[in-house]
Amino acid sequence: FDWVADNVWMNADSNHGFKMIGVGKLVARELAGQGLPDELKPFRFDRFEKGTTFGSGTTNSPWV
């Protein structure tokens, strides 16, 4: 969940769109200029540049 270009926001999904319903309100806050909610910060694209992830090797989502 991040800006990818000027005026372009991306919700990257792994083809399980029904799960995206839960983040809609959070994304709307960012798009309305209220700042990025803490719940979405671990999913920013800059996490790759920073080398940060969340969880551990034993989490259910080791790809993040």
Side-chain angles (χ1 to χ4, degrees), residues 1-2 5 9 12 23 28 30 53 55 63:
F1 309 99
D2 208 346
W9 175 266
V23 300
E30 166 74 1
T53 60
W63 53 87

Side-chain angles (χ1 to χ4, degrees), residues 8-53:
V8 179
W9 175 266
M10 177 184 285
N11 285 350
D13 185 14
S14 62
N15 201 23
H16 301 288
F18 68 93
K19 296 176 186 176
M20 301 301 279
I21 294 169
V23 300
K25 190 171 187 177
L26 298 173
V27 170
R29 287 174 31 194
E30 166 74 1
L31 297 178
Q34 298 175 7
L36 185 71
D38 290 337
E39 295 90 343
L40 297 181
K41 289 180 181 177
F43 301 100
R44 297 294 283 225
F45 289 126
D46 68 353
R47 73 184 189 268
F48 299 108
E49 180 182 338
K50 294 177 181 178
T52 58
T53 60

